[in-house]
Each structure stands twice: as structure tokens, then as C-alpha cells.
Amino acid sequence: METLIGERELSTLRWRCRRGLLENDLFIERFFQANENLSQAQADGLTALMDLSDNDLLDLLLARKEPQGELDCSSVRLVLSQLRTPK
């Protein structure tokens, strides 16, 4: 069973996910609406994606690019697939 993150960590992560580009915010808000509780793997993947610039993040969200280097890991790919999937 996957470990879920706590309420405080979730709140901190939601705050950190606020972006400068509206397009990114729309993807991220839809993700949080579909996932009320996050696993540690989802939190790790989302945290890694938030280290990107807005334009690099948007390229990944729109599937213009795929994760490379340190970003090419299972937690990032998991969250990226969930962010890309319309609900």
C-alpha cells in the first residue's frame, strides 16, 4: 500500500505549485481536484516538476518534450501522465 502524505505537506505542496503561467495552473489545479490525497511518489514527482521553469513545465505538460536526465524517473512519469490526462 502506498504511503499518503499528510495534510500539512499537501498544503505546502499546493502552495509551491502556484505558477506564473495560467496554462500550468490549469493543469495543476485539475490534478489536485482529481487527487484529494497524494501518495509520497506523487508528491516527489510533483516536487521535481515544480523545480522547472514555467516554459519547460508547459512543454512537458503539452507533451512537446519528455522528461530527461534526473527527471526521467518513475515518480515524475507517474505525475506527468496524470497531469496530461483530462478528467
Side-chain angles (χ1 to χ4, degrees):
M1 177 157 183
E2 293 186 31
T3 304
L4 299 178
I5 64 171
E7 190 72 30
R8 184 178 201 128
E9 190 176 354
L10 178 60
S11 178
T12 302
L13 185 57
R14 283 184 73 105
W15 179 257
R16 183 157 187 255
C17 287
R18 295 171 49 129
R19 306 303 294 193
L21 283 177
L22 174 62
E23 293 85 349
N24 288 340
D25 280 338
L26 294 174
F27 277 97
I28 294 166
E29 186 56 35
R30 186 180 66 208
F31 171 80
F32 278 116
Q33 287 176 353
N35 299 283
E36 293 180 13
N37 297 308
L38 296 184
S39 68
Q40 188 61 55
Q42 288 172 308
D44 292 344
L46 202 50
T47 298
L49 288 171
M50 292 306 109
D51 287 338
L52 297 172
S53 71
D54 283 337
N55 290 329
D56 289 339
L57 177 59
L58 186 60
D59 284 343
L60 287 172
L61 294 174
L62 295 175
R64 293 179 189 156
K65 295 182 180 177
E66 291 300 321
Q68 296 179 356
E70 291 179 11
L71 277 180
D72 192 7
C73 64
S74 61
S75 61
V76 169
R77 289 200 174 270
L78 168 68
V79 172
L80 196 53
S81 71
Q82 293 171 337
L83 284 163
R84 288 175 174 172
T85 305
K87 299 276 181 189

Tab-separated table of all heavy atoms in Angstrom, residues 26-71:
chain	number	residue	atom	x	y	z
A	26	LEU	N	-3.791	25.650	-14.701
A	26	LEU	CA	-4.985	24.879	-15.064
A	26	LEU	C	-4.716	23.379	-14.997
A	26	LEU	O	-5.538	22.614	-14.478
A	26	LEU	CB	-5.479	25.285	-16.452
A	26	LEU	CG	-5.997	26.719	-16.577
A	26	LEU	CD1	-6.317	27.049	-18.035
A	26	LEU	CD2	-7.200	26.942	-15.685
A	27	PHE	N	-3.585	22.944	-15.522
A	27	PHE	CA	-3.210	21.529	-15.438
A	27	PHE	C	-3.082	21.093	-13.982
A	27	PHE	O	-3.577	20.036	-13.588
A	27	PHE	CB	-1.870	21.272	-16.140
A	27	PHE	CG	-1.946	21.077	-17.619
A	27	PHE	CD1	-1.705	22.138	-18.484
A	27	PHE	CD2	-2.236	19.834	-18.155
A	27	PHE	CE1	-1.749	21.956	-19.859
A	27	PHE	CE2	-2.287	19.645	-19.526
A	27	PHE	CZ	-2.048	20.713	-20.382
A	28	ILE	N	-2.401	21.898	-13.195
A	28	ILE	CA	-2.114	21.537	-11.801
A	28	ILE	C	-3.385	21.536	-10.955
A	28	ILE	O	-3.598	20.631	-10.143
A	28	ILE	CB	-1.035	22.478	-11.219
A	28	ILE	CG1	0.290	22.241	-11.946
A	28	ILE	CG2	-0.884	22.281	-9.724
A	28	ILE	CD1	1.333	23.315	-11.721
A	29	GLU	N	-4.250	22.512	-11.159
A	29	GLU	CA	-5.498	22.563	-10.392
A	29	GLU	C	-6.378	21.359	-10.708
A	29	GLU	O	-6.983	20.763	-9.817
A	29	GLU	CB	-6.247	23.864	-10.677
A	29	GLU	CG	-7.471	24.046	-9.821
A	29	GLU	CD	-7.205	23.987	-8.322
A	29	GLU	OE1	-6.140	24.447	-7.860
A	29	GLU	OE2	-8.065	23.441	-7.592
A	30	ARG	N	-6.435	20.980	-11.979
A	30	ARG	CA	-7.216	19.799	-12.367
A	30	ARG	C	-6.641	18.542	-11.703
A	30	ARG	O	-7.380	17.680	-11.226
A	30	ARG	CB	-7.221	19.651	-13.888
A	30	ARG	CG	-8.120	18.532	-14.374
A	30	ARG	CD	-8.105	18.413	-15.866
A	30	ARG	NE	-6.771	18.004	-16.299
A	30	ARG	CZ	-6.241	18.301	-17.463
A	30	ARG	NH1	-6.899	19.025	-18.342
A	30	ARG	NH2	-5.039	17.870	-17.779
A	31	PHE	N	-5.323	18.465	-11.613
A	31	PHE	CA	-4.660	17.335	-10.950
A	31	PHE	C	-5.075	17.261	-9.484
A	31	PHE	O	-5.438	16.204	-8.983
A	31	PHE	CB	-3.142	17.485	-11.066
A	31	PHE	CG	-2.360	16.500	-10.255
A	31	PHE	CD1	-2.151	15.207	-10.711
A	31	PHE	CD2	-1.840	16.865	-9.020
A	31	PHE	CE1	-1.435	14.299	-9.950
A	31	PHE	CE2	-1.116	15.956	-8.265
A	31	PHE	CZ	-0.913	14.667	-8.733
A	32	PHE	N	-5.046	18.399	-8.788
A	32	PHE	CA	-5.411	18.401	-7.370
A	32	PHE	C	-6.890	18.106	-7.164
A	32	PHE	O	-7.266	17.485	-6.177
A	32	PHE	CB	-5.023	19.724	-6.703
A	32	PHE	CG	-3.584	19.783	-6.289
A	32	PHE	CD1	-2.727	20.703	-6.864
A	32	PHE	CD2	-3.077	18.930	-5.323
A	32	PHE	CE1	-1.392	20.766	-6.484
A	32	PHE	CE2	-1.747	18.976	-4.942
A	32	PHE	CZ	-0.902	19.896	-5.512
A	33	GLN	N	-7.743	18.523	-8.075
A	33	GLN	CA	-9.170	18.213	-7.963
A	33	GLN	C	-9.418	16.722	-8.119
A	33	GLN	O	-10.288	16.161	-7.462
A	33	GLN	CB	-9.970	19.002	-8.998
A	33	GLN	CG	-10.076	20.472	-8.673
A	33	GLN	CD	-10.784	21.258	-9.763
A	33	GLN	OE1	-11.101	20.735	-10.837
A	33	GLN	NE2	-11.024	22.527	-9.490
A	34	ALA	N	-8.656	16.067	-8.973
A	34	ALA	CA	-8.813	14.629	-9.207
A	34	ALA	C	-8.133	13.789	-8.133
A	34	ALA	O	-8.465	12.620	-7.955
A	34	ALA	CB	-8.263	14.259	-10.581
A	35	ASN	N	-7.181	14.366	-7.417
A	35	ASN	CA	-6.399	13.633	-6.417
A	35	ASN	C	-6.441	14.371	-5.083
A	35	ASN	O	-5.587	15.208	-4.801
A	35	ASN	CB	-4.940	13.496	-6.870
A	35	ASN	CG	-4.814	12.743	-8.164
A	35	ASN	OD1	-4.927	11.532	-8.192
A	35	ASN	ND2	-4.605	13.464	-9.250
A	36	GLU	N	-7.437	14.065	-4.274
A	36	GLU	CA	-7.569	14.742	-2.978
A	36	GLU	C	-6.462	14.334	-2.011
A	36	GLU	O	-6.045	15.116	-1.178
A	36	GLU	CB	-8.929	14.454	-2.374
A	36	GLU	CG	-10.062	15.071	-3.167
A	36	GLU	CD	-11.414	14.775	-2.567
A	36	GLU	OE1	-11.477	14.311	-1.411
A	36	GLU	OE2	-12.405	15.023	-3.260
A	37	ASN	N	-6.019	13.105	-2.108
A	37	ASN	CA	-4.911	12.602	-1.304
A	37	ASN	C	-3.793	12.200	-2.246
A	37	ASN	O	-4.044	11.603	-3.283
A	37	ASN	CB	-5.334	11.384	-0.479
A	37	ASN	CG	-6.421	11.731	0.511
A	37	ASN	OD1	-6.283	12.670	1.281
A	37	ASN	ND2	-7.513	10.985	0.476
A	38	LEU	N	-2.567	12.532	-1.867
A	38	LEU	CA	-1.425	12.207	-2.720
A	38	LEU	C	-0.516	11.195	-2.040
A	38	LEU	O	-0.283	11.274	-0.829
A	38	LEU	CB	-0.604	13.457	-3.033
A	38	LEU	CG	-1.265	14.567	-3.835
A	38	LEU	CD1	-0.262	15.675	-4.111
A	38	LEU	CD2	-1.839	14.053	-5.125
A	39	SER	N	-0.004	10.281	-2.832
A	39	SER	CA	0.992	9.342	-2.327
A	39	SER	C	2.341	10.048	-2.252
A	39	SER	O	2.532	11.119	-2.849
A	39	SER	CB	1.099	8.129	-3.256
A	39	SER	OG	1.666	8.518	-4.496
A	40	GLN	N	3.265	9.450	-1.556
A	40	GLN	CA	4.609	10.025	-1.474
A	40	GLN	C	5.252	10.080	-2.854
A	40	GLN	O	5.941	11.033	-3.187
A	40	GLN	CB	5.485	9.216	-0.508
A	40	GLN	CG	6.824	9.865	-0.225
A	40	GLN	CD	6.695	11.236	0.416
A	40	GLN	OE1	6.051	11.372	1.448
A	40	GLN	NE2	7.285	12.255	-0.189
A	41	ALA	N	4.992	9.073	-3.693
A	41	ALA	CA	5.544	9.058	-5.051
A	41	ALA	C	4.996	10.224	-5.872
A	41	ALA	O	5.737	10.884	-6.605
A	41	ALA	CB	5.233	7.736	-5.746
A	42	GLN	N	3.691	10.497	-5.757
A	42	GLN	CA	3.102	11.628	-6.466
A	42	GLN	C	3.705	12.948	-5.967
A	42	GLN	O	4.013	13.825	-6.768
A	42	GLN	CB	1.589	11.658	-6.279
A	42	GLN	CG	0.845	10.584	-7.032
A	42	GLN	CD	-0.616	10.551	-6.659
A	42	GLN	OE1	-0.956	10.491	-5.478
A	42	GLN	NE2	-1.476	10.599	-7.660
A	43	ALA	N	3.853	13.075	-4.659
A	43	ALA	CA	4.428	14.292	-4.083
A	43	ALA	C	5.859	14.493	-4.563
A	43	ALA	O	6.256	15.617	-4.909
A	43	ALA	CB	4.367	14.234	-2.558
A	44	ASP	N	6.637	13.419	-4.613
A	44	ASP	CA	8.027	13.514	-5.079
A	44	ASP	C	8.082	13.937	-6.547
A	44	ASP	O	8.900	14.783	-6.928
A	44	ASP	CB	8.751	12.177	-4.902
A	44	ASP	CG	8.966	11.804	-3.442
A	44	ASP	OD1	8.840	12.690	-2.560
A	44	ASP	OD2	9.250	10.619	-3.180
A	45	GLY	N	7.235	13.340	-7.368
A	45	GLY	CA	7.205	13.687	-8.785
A	45	GLY	C	6.784	15.121	-9.015
A	45	GLY	O	7.385	15.846	-9.806
A	46	LEU	N	5.763	15.552	-8.301
A	46	LEU	CA	5.280	16.921	-8.437
A	46	LEU	C	6.323	17.925	-7.964
A	46	LEU	O	6.540	18.963	-8.596
A	46	LEU	CB	3.981	17.074	-7.647
A	46	LEU	CG	3.040	18.199	-8.016
A	46	LEU	CD1	2.744	18.243	-9.501
A	46	LEU	CD2	1.759	18.089	-7.226
A	47	THR	N	7.004	17.602	-6.880
A	47	THR	CA	8.062	18.471	-6.368
A	47	THR	C	9.178	18.628	-7.400
A	47	THR	O	9.669	19.735	-7.635
A	47	THR	CB	8.627	17.918	-5.047
A	47	THR	OG1	7.576	17.884	-4.082
A	47	THR	CG2	9.764	18.757	-4.537
A	48	ALA	N	9.569	17.544	-8.031
A	48	ALA	CA	10.612	17.607	-9.058
A	48	ALA	C	10.170	18.470	-10.236
A	48	ALA	O	10.948	19.271	-10.759
A	48	ALA	CB	10.980	16.204	-9.529
A	49	LEU	N	8.917	18.347	-10.638
A	49	LEU	CA	8.417	19.143	-11.758
A	49	LEU	C	8.355	20.629	-11.416
A	49	LEU	O	8.559	21.478	-12.286
A	49	LEU	CB	7.031	18.647	-12.189
A	49	LEU	CG	6.995	17.310	-12.908
A	49	LEU	CD1	5.565	16.832	-13.077
A	49	LEU	CD2	7.699	17.397	-14.252
A	50	MET	N	8.110	20.954	-10.166
A	50	MET	CA	7.997	22.353	-9.766
A	50	MET	C	9.347	23.070	-9.767
A	50	MET	O	9.403	24.297	-9.707
A	50	MET	CB	7.330	22.482	-8.398
A	50	MET	CG	5.872	22.089	-8.386
A	50	MET	SD	4.863	22.951	-9.631
A	50	MET	CE	4.533	21.631	-10.794
A	51	ASP	N	10.438	22.312	-9.867
A	51	ASP	CA	11.765	22.925	-9.970
A	51	ASP	C	12.043	23.463	-11.373
A	51	ASP	O	13.004	24.192	-11.581
A	51	ASP	CB	12.855	21.914	-9.592
A	51	ASP	CG	12.887	21.643	-8.097
A	51	ASP	OD1	12.401	22.488	-7.317
A	51	ASP	OD2	13.404	20.583	-7.709
A	52	LEU	N	11.186	23.122	-12.332
A	52	LEU	CA	11.358	23.565	-13.715
A	52	LEU	C	10.848	24.983	-13.908
A	52	LEU	O	9.990	25.454	-13.149
A	52	LEU	CB	10.583	22.640	-14.665
A	52	LEU	CG	11.025	21.188	-14.717
A	52	LEU	CD1	10.032	20.377	-15.543
A	52	LEU	CD2	12.417	21.077	-15.298
A	53	SER	N	11.336	25.628	-14.951
A	53	SER	CA	10.781	26.928	-15.326
A	53	SER	C	9.371	26.707	-15.871
A	53	SER	O	9.010	25.591	-16.273
A	53	SER	CB	11.655	27.600	-16.386
A	53	SER	OG	11.522	26.917	-17.625
A	54	ASP	N	8.583	27.760	-15.893
A	54	ASP	CA	7.211	27.634	-16.394
A	54	ASP	C	7.157	27.116	-17.820
A	54	ASP	O	6.337	26.267	-18.156
A	54	ASP	CB	6.481	28.979	-16.311
A	54	ASP	CG	6.024	29.306	-14.899
A	54	ASP	OD1	5.867	28.377	-14.091
A	54	ASP	OD2	5.811	30.493	-14.618
A	55	ASN	N	8.038	27.615	-18.679
A	55	ASN	CA	8.016	27.185	-20.088
A	55	ASN	C	8.437	25.733	-20.243
A	55	ASN	O	7.854	24.998	-21.056
A	55	ASN	CB	8.886	28.100	-20.938
A	55	ASN	CG	8.272	29.478	-21.088
A	55	ASN	OD1	7.057	29.625	-21.093
A	55	ASN	ND2	9.115	30.487	-21.194
A	56	ASP	N	9.435	25.284	-19.492
A	56	ASP	CA	9.848	23.880	-19.560
A	56	ASP	C	8.746	22.964	-19.037
A	56	ASP	O	8.496	21.892	-19.596
A	56	ASP	CB	11.135	23.659	-18.763
A	56	ASP	CG	12.351	24.282	-19.440
A	56	ASP	OD1	12.297	24.525	-20.660
A	56	ASP	OD2	13.357	24.525	-18.740
A	57	LEU	N	8.076	23.392	-17.966
A	57	LEU	CA	6.963	22.605	-17.428
A	57	LEU	C	5.835	22.503	-18.450
A	57	LEU	O	5.287	21.423	-18.679
A	57	LEU	CB	6.460	23.222	-16.122
A	57	LEU	CG	5.255	22.541	-15.482
A	57	LEU	CD1	5.556	21.074	-15.158
A	57	LEU	CD2	4.820	23.289	-14.227
A	58	LEU	N	5.504	23.615	-19.085
A	58	LEU	CA	4.438	23.600	-20.081
A	58	LEU	C	4.777	22.679	-21.248
A	58	LEU	O	3.910	21.953	-21.736
A	58	LEU	CB	4.145	25.013	-20.579
A	58	LEU	CG	2.954	25.147	-21.521
A	58	LEU	CD1	1.661	24.675	-20.861
A	58	LEU	CD2	2.815	26.587	-22.003
A	59	ASP	N	6.028	22.681	-21.683
A	59	ASP	CA	6.444	21.767	-22.753
A	59	ASP	C	6.206	20.313	-22.367
A	59	ASP	O	5.762	19.505	-23.188
A	59	ASP	CB	7.920	21.974	-23.102
A	59	ASP	CG	8.160	23.225	-23.932
A	59	ASP	OD1	7.195	23.766	-24.520
A	59	ASP	OD2	9.325	23.663	-23.988
A	60	LEU	N	6.481	19.964	-21.115
A	60	LEU	CA	6.234	18.593	-20.650
A	60	LEU	C	4.736	18.305	-20.558
A	60	LEU	O	4.276	17.236	-20.958
A	60	LEU	CB	6.888	18.361	-19.291
A	60	LEU	CG	8.401	18.245	-19.285
A	60	LEU	CD1	8.925	18.204	-17.856
A	60	LEU	CD2	8.855	17.009	-20.044
A	61	LEU	N	3.976	19.250	-20.031
A	61	LEU	CA	2.534	19.046	-19.884
A	61	LEU	C	1.839	18.877	-21.224
A	61	LEU	O	0.894	18.096	-21.342
A	61	LEU	CB	1.911	20.211	-19.109
A	61	LEU	CG	2.331	20.339	-17.646
A	61	LEU	CD1	1.768	21.613	-17.041
A	61	LEU	CD2	1.918	19.122	-16.847
A	62	LEU	N	2.308	19.597	-22.222
A	62	LEU	CA	1.713	19.504	-23.560
A	62	LEU	C	2.339	18.403	-24.405
A	62	LEU	O	2.013	18.266	-25.584
A	62	LEU	CB	1.837	20.852	-24.284
A	62	LEU	CG	1.059	22.009	-23.656
A	62	LEU	CD1	1.356	23.305	-24.401
A	62	LEU	CD2	-0.433	21.716	-23.633
A	63	ALA	N	3.225	17.624	-23.812
A	63	ALA	CA	3.904	16.507	-24.478
A	63	ALA	C	4.742	16.969	-25.668
A	63	ALA	O	4.951	16.215	-26.613
A	63	ALA	CB	2.915	15.415	-24.890
A	64	ARG	N	5.218	18.197	-25.610
A	64	ARG	CA	6.167	18.666	-26.624
A	64	ARG	C	7.537	18.054	-26.369
A	64	ARG	O	8.347	17.929	-27.280
A	64	ARG	CB	6.297	20.188	-26.579
A	64	ARG	CG	5.067	20.933	-26.987
A	64	ARG	CD	5.314	22.419	-26.865
A	64	ARG	NE	4.103	23.179	-27.041
A	64	ARG	CZ	3.912	24.394	-26.561
A	64	ARG	NH1	4.867	24.995	-25.870
A	64	ARG	NH2	2.781	25.024	-26.773
A	65	LYS	N	7.788	17.738	-25.101
A	65	LYS	CA	9.041	17.114	-24.682
A	65	LYS	C	8.722	16.017	-23.688
A	65	LYS	O	7.631	15.968	-23.126
A	65	LYS	CB	9.960	18.140	-24.008
A	65	LYS	CG	10.447	19.240	-24.906
A	65	LYS	CD	11.372	20.167	-24.164
A	65	LYS	CE	11.859	21.284	-25.080
A	65	LYS	NZ	12.707	22.238	-24.352
A	66	GLU	N	9.692	15.155	-23.460
A	66	GLU	CA	9.588	14.103	-22.451
A	66	GLU	C	10.672	14.339	-21.399
A	66	GLU	O	11.698	14.955	-21.699
A	66	GLU	CB	9.761	12.727	-23.096
A	66	GLU	CG	8.613	12.324	-24.005
A	66	GLU	CD	7.273	12.260	-23.309
A	66	GLU	OE1	7.211	11.811	-22.141
A	66	GLU	OE2	6.266	12.666	-23.922
A	67	PRO	N	10.458	13.852	-20.186
A	67	PRO	CA	11.463	14.045	-19.134
A	67	PRO	C	12.803	13.425	-19.525
A	67	PRO	O	12.845	12.343	-20.109
A	67	PRO	CB	10.879	13.324	-17.923
A	67	PRO	CG	9.482	13.005	-18.249
A	67	PRO	CD	9.316	13.084	-19.720
A	68	GLN	N	13.871	14.130	-19.185
A	68	GLN	CA	15.214	13.640	-19.471
A	68	GLN	C	16.089	13.824	-18.247
A	68	GLN	O	15.795	14.623	-17.366
A	68	GLN	CB	15.810	14.406	-20.651
A	68	GLN	CG	15.064	14.207	-21.944
A	68	GLN	CD	15.676	15.001	-23.089
A	68	GLN	OE1	16.607	15.764	-22.913
A	68	GLN	NE2	15.130	14.805	-24.277
A	69	GLY	N	17.175	13.098	-18.215
A	69	GLY	CA	18.139	13.224	-17.126
A	69	GLY	C	17.542	12.828	-15.785
A	69	GLY	O	16.881	11.798	-15.676
A	70	GLU	N	17.737	13.665	-14.776
A	70	GLU	CA	17.235	13.371	-13.434
A	70	GLU	C	15.712	13.315	-13.374
A	70	GLU	O	15.153	12.648	-12.511
A	70	GLU	CB	17.729	14.429	-12.445
A	70	GLU	CG	19.217	14.384	-12.182
A	70	GLU	CD	19.651	15.460	-11.208
A	70	GLU	OE1	18.783	16.101	-10.580
A	70	GLU	OE2	20.862	15.657	-11.064
A	71	LEU	N	15.052	13.997	-14.287
A	71	LEU	CA	13.585	13.987	-14.310
A	71	LEU	C	13.013	12.689	-14.862
A	71	LEU	O	11.832	12.416	-14.681
A	71	LEU	CB	13.053	15.145	-15.158
A	71	LEU	CG	12.945	16.498	-14.493
A	71	LEU	CD1	12.394	17.521	-15.466
A	71	LEU	CD2	12.097	16.451	-13.251
